[in-house]
């Protein structure tokens, strides 16, 4: 009864008063300066300046909705570099040469055609494919690269005319100008529909770029002066502050904070009151630094609060007190922030606004409760139709109307803090575990093994990512080594230096470099040169010689660049040039081809800068693309081992034990500048098949109508699961998944694939959870799980074992490619226990997206470049559209029936609520036995979803009720009244009737 009373009070509260909302749009660009070349290697400051940095505040301002904008120090500095001519970017320099009629070098032409990194770096679905000339140029480019040998510059560029390069340069620069901005310049707007361009056309476009870049900071300054927006600084280089604090670099962080404040006063004419921690990453030391600097408020993610104070509401305002200085802390709402950043791109402004309001109606009311929507301010809009121009205008105008009718009240963050600071809640002091980077972490291969320290503080160490973790920036070997490069550089050079010496260190301390290392968010290929350039400059400007590991193209832990890897093999690889390289469980050898030297790297070797192992130059002094541990000179028949960067001959037998390689391990092999990934064969005493299951072909449509995203990377069949085999390998279990089409590895996933994400839920006769981890479906009681395996491409969150109590272990599985479109996950037995043929195993296949919530791609009504289409609109509104392409089930009909079993109800106040689909299709039995239990679908009514919406107390009651359902019972569905006159009391009465029905 107490639970029902709580529900009643929550429902009454839901109908009263406006919901407080704060919007913060985060504007940041990494440093793009190459210190040796004295130019910017990427154009994104400029490209966003001619579009989103201008159009977003202008369009939102038309509505009158107050929004806060952040500006990082690195962004402000680089905008000024363009304005005063300090630096320009490579693509601008190449474009200027074309406009002036100067000949390009072969390398410059080849660079224009690179993907990524060239003049095709633009949204293909919304921009490139819609311009016929641009689409033709892309087709020519793809044809050239498919028909020419890798790296053959002459072959590729010979297929393009001078006019092709003029058109390509003009289109790239022209179409990055946002239409809302371009339409204000008639001579530019008329160029959009041309299909052939002159050098004068290109000159006009580049001239407008220079003009628009200079307007960005004055626009923000003026809007802030008028009180229409609030400006929020981001510490200078956008450093990952908690990890620098864990390293002991507190003075560096103080400098980052003060430099950004100085830029705000100088260029924006304002003294800020709030501050944005880069990546919303915080710990107690970071909050203390903000408080000491005099800031009033900061912000982090709701997942950090879940770890800090479980059960606390992220809709409240909190504070931490440091020596009498209060720092107020907002916790952003992840659901609405991600919706605006990702999900709404596939919805109309009207539908998005309905979804937004539908969510707000579920927020508990309170005078000082607040929903904070905080997201990237510059990147989402290219994924929207018409670059988001129509959406931004209509969505924020709709919010303005909702504010007029009292549905919402929209605040600038400082105004809200000043209004509610007396009602803020203190963050409780607790003991937390923070990372310890004062020791060498280069030797660790997984985030779970990193050393930690105990800290008494007010907040957990975390960020927006991975359930509040810092796994995007640390834990992968390349990331761990990078932090040690930084630590050692500070020790070698010192920080008591002039600005000229210190500036490259501040650049190197940016969070952007470890963000890309480890491939958590894509390839580090483009950014790696900037990071190394900064560290080299830090040494050279101090008169010191940079260490050798800063001179190679390999990533910090020795991982080769993706564009250097041209082949993969298991036990054997054939190179360009006719050389065949073989490996068995003990040795590696070479046959065929001309004389030459083959270099071999074992990626399991620790690459600590304090005791660097591996050679970055070959026997002839040539630069290598790997850290070579072994060299085989085919001409002399000699084998060499590297030590301290030098090679020493060890005879003519290449034993893998020389470099510590084990069966099943991966080797990188370099021959004539190209790198190959060679897997050493495994040797098992037995491979006992425990379970085999086959799934129908062509059922990769989820509940029946799902469509793949439109980007060409999503080839037909990549989400079509066709088989699963489970083996006992002695000390581990092997899960082997087969898909109809692997789809290659378009984004360089560490495990050799990029697109697929398998969820495996196991009931080991003790399952207690029937929810899933982001799939928006439930399992029936028989299949309730006690352990789950999340098997993705190997990025953060994609190699995770989860237990029913919420504990999880990262990177414990070995995930890799098998033969014939198979993906293998080896799980140590210590994490699963002994197999029993009574285990019930439920398997789902969804789409990996490192930017999506729970690392799952957005499933919407309409498919676009990155969004899955075909979802039921009301299921999307209610948050129960299954995010599943394929379920391992006996027939497609079983899958469709299961995934369409969700329930959606529209309440009288317009809120859509729902209960997720219940999937009861699991595997059990011995090798040739398979049972797909689909005979009983428990109808979970809207009761369960209302439970989740209103009160945790009621959730407990609902869970107890659910456990009374047996495999032979049918649950009576609540008949929801649909009349508009439905009262709250009647609503609660209906819910209570449903509860009593279940208890019978």
């Amino acid at each position: 009864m107490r639970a029902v009373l709580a529900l009643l009070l929550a429902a009454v509260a839901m109908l009263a008063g406006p919901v407080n909302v704060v919007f913060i749009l985060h504007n940041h660009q990494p440093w793009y300066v190459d210190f040796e070349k004295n130019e910017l290697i990427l154009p994104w400051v400029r490209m966003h300046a001619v579009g989103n940095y201008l159009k977003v505040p202008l369009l939102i301002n038309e509505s009158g909705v107050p929004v806060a904008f952040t500006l990082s120090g690195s962004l402000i500095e680089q905008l000024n570099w363009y304005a005063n001519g300090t630096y320009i970017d490579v693509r601008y320099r190449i474009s200027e040469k074309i406009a002036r009629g100067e000949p390009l070098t072969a390398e410059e032409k080849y660079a224009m055609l690179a993907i990524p990194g060239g003049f095709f770096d633009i949204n293909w679905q919304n921009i490139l494919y819609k311009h016929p000339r641009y689409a033709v140029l892309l087709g020519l480019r793809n044809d050239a690269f498919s028909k020419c040998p890798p790296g053959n510059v002459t072959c590729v560029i010979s297929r393009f005319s001078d006019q092709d390069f003029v058109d390509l340069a003009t289109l790239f620069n022209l179409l990055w100008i946002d239409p809302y901005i371009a339409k204000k310049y008639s001579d530019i707007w008329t160029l959009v529909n041309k299909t052939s361009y002159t050098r004068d056309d290109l000159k006009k476009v580049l001239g407008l770029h220079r003009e628009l870049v200079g307007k960005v900071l004055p626009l923000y300054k003026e809007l802030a002066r008028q009180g229409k927006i609030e400006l929020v600084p981001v510490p200078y280089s956008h450093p990952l502050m908690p990890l620098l604090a864990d390293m002991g670099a507190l003075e560096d962080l103080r400098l980052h904070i003060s430099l950004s404040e100085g830029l705000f006063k100088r260029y924006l004419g304002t003294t800020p009151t709030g501050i944005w921690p880069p990546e919303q990453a915080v710990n107690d030391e970071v909050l203390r630094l903000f408080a000491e600097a005099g800031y009033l408020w900061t912000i982090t993610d709701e997942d950090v609060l879940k770890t800090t104070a479980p059960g606390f509401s992220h809709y409240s305002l909190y504070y931490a007190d440091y020596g009498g200085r209060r720092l107020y802390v907002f916790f952003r709402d992840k659901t609405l922030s991600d919706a605006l950043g990702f999900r709404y791109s596939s919805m109309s402004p009207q539908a998005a606004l309905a979804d937004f309001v539908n969510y707000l109606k579920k927020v508990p009311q309170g005078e000082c409760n607040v929903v904070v929507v905080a997201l990237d301010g510059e990147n989402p809009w290219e994924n929207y139709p018409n670059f988001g121009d129509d959406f931004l205008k209509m969505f924020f105008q709709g919010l303005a109307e909702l504010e007029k009718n009292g549905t919402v009240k929209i605040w600038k963050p400082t105004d809200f803090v000043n209004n509610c600071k007396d009602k803020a809640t203190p963050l409780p002091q607790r003991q937390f575990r923070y990372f310890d980077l004062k020791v060498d972490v280069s030797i660790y291969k997984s985030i779970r093994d990193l050393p930690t320290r105990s800290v008494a503080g007010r907040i957990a160490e975390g960020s927006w990512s991975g359930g509040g973790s810092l796994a995007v920036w640390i834990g992968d070997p390349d990331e761990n080594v990078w932090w040690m490069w930084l630590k050692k550089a500070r020790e070698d050079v010192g920080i008591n230096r002039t600005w000229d010496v210190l500036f490259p260190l501040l650049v190197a301390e940016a969070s952007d470099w470890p963000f890309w290392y480890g491939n958590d968010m894509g390839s580090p290929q483009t950014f790696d040169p900037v990071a190394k350039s900064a560290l080299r400059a830090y040494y050279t400007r101090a008169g010191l010689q940079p260490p050798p590991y800063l001179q190679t193209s390999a990533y910090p832990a020795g991982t080769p660049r993706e564009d250097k890897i041209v082949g993969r093999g298991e036990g054997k690889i054939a190179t360009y040039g006719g050389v065949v390289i073989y490996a068995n469980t003990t040795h590696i050898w070479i046959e065929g081809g001309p004389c030459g030297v083959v270099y071999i790297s074992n990626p399991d070797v620790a690459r600590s800068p304090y005791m660097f192992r591996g050679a970055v130059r070959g026997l002839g002094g040539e630069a290598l693309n790997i850290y070579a541990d072994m060299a085989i000179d085919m001409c002399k028949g000699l084998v060499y081992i590297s030590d301290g960067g030098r090679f020493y001959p060890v005879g003519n037998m290449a034993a893998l034990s020389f470099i510590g390689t084990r069966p099943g391990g991966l080797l990188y092999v370099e021959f004539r500048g190209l790198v190959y990934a060679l897997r050493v064969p495994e040797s098992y005493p037995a491979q006992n098949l425990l379970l085999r299951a086959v799934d129908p072909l062509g059922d990769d449509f989820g509940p029946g109508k799902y469509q793949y995203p439109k980007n060409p990377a999503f080839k037909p069949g990549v989400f079509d699961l066709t088989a699963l085999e489970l083996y006992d390998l002695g000390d581990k279990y092997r899960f082997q998944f087969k898909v109809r089409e692997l789809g290659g590895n378009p984004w360089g996933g560490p495990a050799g694939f990029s697109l697929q994400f398998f969820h495996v839920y196991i009931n080991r006769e003790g399952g207690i959870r029937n929810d899933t981890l982001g799939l928006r479906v439930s399992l029936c009681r028989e299949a309730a799980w006690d352990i789950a395996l999340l098997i993705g491409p190997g990025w953060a969150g994609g190699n995770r074992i989860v237990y029913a109590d919420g504990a999880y272990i990262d990177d414990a599985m070995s995930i890799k490619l098998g033969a014939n479109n198979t993906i293998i996950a080896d799980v140590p037995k210590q994490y699963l226990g002994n197999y029993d043929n009574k285990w019930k195993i439920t398997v789902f296949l969804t789409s990996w997206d490192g930017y999506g919530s729970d690392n799952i791609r957005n499933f919407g009504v309409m498919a676009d470049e990155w969004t899955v289409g075909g979802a039921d609109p009301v299921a999307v509104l209610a948050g129960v559209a299954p995010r599943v392409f394929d379920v391992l089930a006996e027939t497609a009909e079983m899958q469709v029936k299961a995934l369409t079993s969700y329930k959606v109800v529209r309440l009288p106040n317009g809120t859509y609520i729902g209960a997720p689909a219940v999937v009861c299709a699991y595997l059990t039995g011995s090798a040739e036995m398979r049972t797909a239990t689909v005979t009983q679908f428990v109808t979970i009514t809207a009761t369960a979803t209302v439970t989740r919406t209103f009160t945790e107390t009621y959730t407990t009651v609902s869970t107890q009720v659910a456990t009374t359902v047996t495999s032979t019972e049918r649950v009576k569905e609540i008949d929801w009244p649909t009349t508009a006159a439905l009262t709250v009391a009647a609503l609660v009465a209906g819910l209570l009737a449903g509860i009593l029905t279940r208890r019978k």
Side-chain angles (χ1 to χ4, degrees):
M1 184 57 68
R2 186 181 303 169
V4 175
L5 179 60
L7 174 61
L8 172 61
L9 294 174
V12 172
M14 182 181 69
L15 303 177
V19 179
N20 297 313
V21 181
V22 165
F23 284 95
I24 308 176
L25 297 181
H26 176 48
N27 291 328
H28 159 65
Q29 286 294 319
W31 297 104
Y32 296 121
V33 59
D34 186 308
F35 287 93
E36 284 97 354
K37 295 179 179 178
N38 209 36
E39 64 183 358
L40 307 179
I41 69 166
L42 291 175
W44 305 131
V45 171
R46 173 168 62 95
M47 295 314 194
H48 285 295
V50 302
N52 293 334
Y53 291 146
L54 291 172
K55 76 95 175 282
V56 173
L58 286 171
L59 283 169
I60 294 176
N61 185 57
E62 290 180 8
S63 69
V65 172
V67 172
F69 289 93
T70 78
L71 293 164
S72 68
S74 55
L75 173 58
I76 295 172
E77 289 280 44
Q78 289 177 104
L79 285 169
N80 283 311
W81 288 350
Y82 277 105
N84 60 30
T86 302
Y87 295 107
I88 60 171
D89 61 80
V90 176
R91 278 176 254 194
Y92 189 91
R93 174 176 56 77
I94 291 174
S95 300
E96 272 196 321
K97 288 182 69 174
I98 294 173
R100 292 195 297 258
E102 299 176 10
L104 299 181
T105 66
E107 288 71 23
E108 287 171 332
K109 291 180 179 180
Y110 191 76
M112 290 181 69
L113 303 172
I115 297 177
F119 283 57
F120 293 102
D121 283 358
I122 200 165
N123 186 291
W124 289 8
Q125 192 65 38
N126 292 338
I127 304 174
L128 187 148
Y129 289 144
K130 292 184 177 180
H131 196 288
R133 178 59 175 153
Y134 217 161
V136 167
L137 290 170
L138 177 61
L140 291 173
R141 182 265 175 209
N142 291 341
D143 183 67
F145 275 79
S146 67
K147 292 179 179 177
C148 294
N152 192 318
V153 174
T154 303
C155 175
V156 169
I157 67 174
S158 66
R159 297 169 179 264
F160 292 84
S161 67
D162 287 345
Q163 183 62 47
D164 290 335
F165 288 109
V166 172
D167 291 346
L168 181 57
T170 306
L171 285 165
F172 174 68
N173 290 286
L174 171 64
L175 297 182
W176 263 101
I177 303 174
D178 190 271
Y180 175 79
I181 303 297
K183 288 175 182 177
K184 299 178 185 294
Y185 301 87
S186 59
D187 57 334
I188 296 296
W189 186 242
T190 58
L191 297 178
V192 171
N193 293 320
K194 290 182 64 174
T195 57
S196 181
Y197 297 94
T198 67
R199 298 181 193 276
D200 284 339
D201 292 336
L202 181 54
K203 286 179 183 177
K204 288 180 184 178
V205 172
L206 295 176
L208 182 59
H209 274 234
R210 288 192 296 270
E211 178 184 337
L212 294 175
V213 170
K215 290 185 174 183
V216 173
L217 293 179
L219 171 65
Y220 285 91
K221 180 178 181 180
E222 180 58 22
L223 290 175
R225 187 191 66 79
Q226 296 174 17
K228 296 178 178 178
I229 64 174
E230 179 172 349
L231 294 178
V232 182
V234 184
Y236 189 63
S237 287
H238 202 269
L240 208 287
M241 300 182 75
L243 294 180
L244 284 171
D246 294 337
M247 192 186 292
L250 296 180
E251 286 306 310
D252 305 45
L253 294 177
R254 291 188 178 95
L255 183 57
H256 283 286
I257 293 169
S258 64
L259 285 170
S260 275
E261 184 174 345
L263 290 174
F264 261 56
K265 292 176 180 177
R266 180 178 177 185
Y267 294 109
L268 298 168
T270 183
T271 300
T273 54
I275 189 166
W276 175 285
E279 308 292 1
Q280 296 176 349
V282 294
N283 64 14
D284 201 63
E285 290 154 326
V286 172
L287 297 192
R288 185 183 299 276
L289 290 174
F290 289 162
E292 290 175 353
Y295 283 99
L296 177 67
W297 63 267
T298 191
I299 179 174
T300 186
D301 189 81
E302 66 172 273
D303 283 344
V304 177
L305 181 62
K306 291 176 183 176
T307 307
T308 299
F312 281 37
S313 170
H314 70 277
Y315 301 119
S316 298
L317 181 67
Y318 296 88
Y319 71 85
D321 191 296
Y322 299 98
R325 296 175 182 261
R326 277 194 181 185
L327 180 75
Y328 294 88
V329 184
F330 290 108
F331 292 91
R332 77 154 186 160
D333 185 273
K334 186 183 288 287
T335 300
L336 285 186
S337 301
D338 287 347
L340 195 56
F342 304 103
R343 186 159 58 88
Y344 288 167
S345 65
S346 62
M347 300 169 67
S348 69
Q350 297 86 349
L353 193 61
D355 180 87
F356 193 89
V357 173
N358 189 57
Y359 183 89
L360 292 182
K361 288 179 179 178
K362 303 173 188 177
V363 173
Q365 295 294 296
E367 179 186 354
C368 287
N369 280 359
V370 61
V371 178
V372 181
V373 182
L375 65 145
D376 190 332
E378 57 217 345
N379 291 310
W381 317 115
E382 289 120 38
N383 296 316
Y384 281 73
N386 196 31
F387 310 90
D389 295 357
D390 302 328
F391 179 90
L392 284 166
K393 187 171 184 176
M394 298 176 69
F395 183 83
F396 281 94
Q397 284 178 347
L399 286 173
E401 291 299 316
L402 290 170
E403 187 163 33
K404 289 178 184 177
N405 69 25
T407 301
V408 299
K409 181 171 179 56
I410 303 174
W411 300 78
K412 289 181 285 188
T414 294
D415 291 343
F416 183 84
V417 171
N418 286 331
N419 185 69
C420 287
K421 59 185 179 182
D422 292 337
K423 297 181 180 179
T425 302
L427 291 169
Q429 179 147 336
R430 291 178 52 205
Q431 290 293 127
F432 298 102
R433 301 300 303 183
Y434 292 176
F435 289 117
D436 184 359
L437 299 191
K438 293 182 180 178
V439 300
D440 185 1
V441 300
S442 302
I443 63 173
Y444 298 105
K445 301 294 183 181
S446 169
I447 194 169
R448 72 178 186 273
D449 299 325
L450 292 176
T452 60
R453 56 198 173 99
S454 180
V455 176
R458 301 286 181 181
I459 200 162
E461 184 169 77
S463 74
W464 60 263
S465 170
S469 79
L470 297 177
V472 166
W473 300 272
I474 195 168
D476 179 271
D478 283 317
E479 296 162 348
N480 297 342
V481 175
W482 166 257
W483 287 107
M484 294 301 98
W485 279 9
L486 197 60
K487 178 174 180 287
K488 189 170 190 303
R490 291 180 75 254
E491 294 165 353
D492 291 345
V493 180
I495 61 170
N496 187 21
R497 294 285 189 166
T498 63
W499 173 253
D500 181 61
V501 175
L502 204 55
F503 173 62
L505 172 65
L506 300 179
V507 171
E509 288 178 339
S511 70
D512 306 281
W513 322 136
F515 179 89
W516 294 103
Y517 286 136
N519 291 280
D520 293 289
M521 292 298 169
S523 167
Q525 177 182 324
T526 303
F527 292 92
D528 174 70
V530 182
K532 290 174 181 168
S533 166
L535 279 185
R536 287 196 299 266
Y538 182 42
Y539 278 95
T540 57
R541 291 184 178 190
L544 300 175
Q545 180 68 31
Y549 48 76
L550 295 179
Q551 310 294 338
T552 178
S553 71
Y555 301 141
T559 310
R561 278 174 40 166
E562 293 82 354
D563 62 327
K564 301 294 183 182
I565 301 177
V566 297
R568 295 178 180 270
E570 180 104 11
K572 170 186 172 183
I573 192 84
T575 74
Y576 287 92
V579 170
V580 181
I581 303 168
Y582 296 88
N584 60 20
T585 57
T586 60
H587 287 77
I588 185 168
W589 68 97
I590 303 166
E591 295 180 2
C595 275
V597 181
V598 171
Y599 297 96
I600 299 147
S601 172
N602 177 10
D604 289 331
V605 172
R607 307 293 179 181
S608 171
Y610 293 93
M611 189 177 293
F612 181 67
R613 294 179 60 189
V616 300
R617 294 195 174 275
L619 297 177
E622 72 277 20
L624 298 177
N625 297 300
I626 60 175
Y627 294 156
D629 298 302
M630 179 188 291
I632 303 175
D633 187 335
M634 294 182 289
C635 306
K636 297 180 179 178
L638 281 177
V639 175
Y640 297 80
I641 300 297
S642 69
D643 184 28
R646 297 180 60 188
F647 286 103
Y648 298 89
V650 292
N652 56 13
M653 294 292 291
L656 294 178
S657 59
F658 289 163
I659 55 175
T661 304
R662 298 177 181 178
L666 182 69
L667 296 174
Y668 292 115
V669 179
E670 181 171 345
F671 180 63
R672 295 187 172 179
L674 298 177
V675 179
Y676 306 83
L678 179 63
R679 180 76 61 181
V680 177
E682 296 179 87
S683 177
Y684 293 108
Q687 297 190 35
N688 180 31
L689 178 66
L690 300 175
L691 195 66
R692 176 186 289 123
V694 177
D695 187 79
L697 281 171
D699 63 342
D700 48 338
F701 42 56
K705 296 182 180 179
Y706 281 172
Q707 302 124 29
Y708 282 17
K710 295 181 178 180
N711 188 278
F714 301 99
K715 298 178 182 178
V718 296
F719 301 119
D720 191 4
L721 176 64
T722 62
L724 168 69
E725 293 179 343
L726 174 60
Y727 294 91
D728 185 333
L729 302 183
D731 62 344
K732 67 187 76 171
Y733 296 112
R734 168 163 292 180
F735 290 79
Q736 183 166 295
F737 307 90
K738 186 174 178 60
V739 292
R740 178 155 54 101
E741 168 60 48
L742 184 68
N745 193 10
W747 302 301
F753 61 99
S754 300
L755 302 168
Q756 295 83 6
F757 192 15
F758 300 92
H759 279 219
V760 179
Y761 297 91
I762 305 174
N763 179 324
R764 301 176 300 178
E765 295 296 288
I768 60 174
R769 288 179 61 171
N770 73 337
D771 63 323
T772 55
L773 302 173
L775 298 177
R776 296 181 184 162
V777 301
S778 295
L779 305 182
C780 62
R781 186 185 175 203
E782 306 96 281
W785 60 278
D786 58 328
I787 192 166
L789 309 178
L790 304 185
I791 300 166
W795 294 310
N799 184 339
R800 179 169 289 179
I801 301 171
V802 185
Y803 294 93
D805 63 0
Y808 63 86
I809 301 170
D810 277 336
D811 302 328
M813 295 182 282
S814 171
I815 302 174
K816 57 192 174 185
L817 288 183
N820 301 319
N821 290 324
T822 59
I823 293 169
I824 292 169
D826 289 339
V827 188
K829 281 187 176 179
Q830 68 188 85
Y831 300 116
L832 295 186
N834 293 323
Y835 175 77
D836 189 304
N837 61 15
K838 294 180 181 179
W839 282 11
K840 299 177 180 67
I841 303 173
T842 308
V843 182
F844 300 93
L845 176 54
T846 188
S847 177
W848 174 271
D849 182 357
Y851 293 97
S853 61
D854 301 299
N855 295 317
I856 299 172
R857 189 163 303 284
N858 178 32
F859 283 64
V861 178
M862 300 295 292
D864 62 21
E865 185 171 12
W866 305 112
T867 301
V868 180
D872 180 354
V874 296
V876 172
L877 282 173
V880 294
R883 299 203 293 174
V884 174
F885 271 111
D886 203 350
V887 180
L888 192 59
E890 198 164 5
T891 67
E893 290 76 17
M894 290 176 176
Q895 172 181 306
V896 171
K897 185 177 180 182
L899 293 181
T900 54
S901 63
Y902 53 80
K903 301 295 179 182
V904 177
V905 175
R906 186 178 188 272
L907 296 182
N909 67 352
T911 303
Y912 285 89
I913 60 175
V918 179
V919 175
C920 208
Y922 54 81
L923 314 177
T924 188
S926 58
E928 297 303 329
M929 292 180 60
R930 171 171 176 264
T931 303
T933 305
V934 292
T935 56
Q936 182 255 336
F937 290 91
V938 179
T939 304
I940 305 297
T941 69
T943 305
T945 304
V946 175
T947 294
R948 189 175 65 247
T949 300
F950 295 137
T951 167
E952 292 298 323
T953 305
Y954 185 65
T955 300
T956 303
V957 174
S958 179
T959 301
Q960 292 169 347
V961 172
T963 60
T964 67
V965 180
T966 70
S967 61
T968 59
E969 290 176 330
R970 300 287 296 184
V971 179
K972 183 177 179 181
E973 179 180 349
I974 295 175
D975 184 15
W976 284 87
T978 56
T979 173
L982 179 68
T983 64
V984 172
L987 170 62
V988 174
L991 291 171
L992 182 56
I995 292 173
L996 295 175
T997 299
R998 288 190 173 196
R999 283 182 170 172
K1000 290 180 181 177

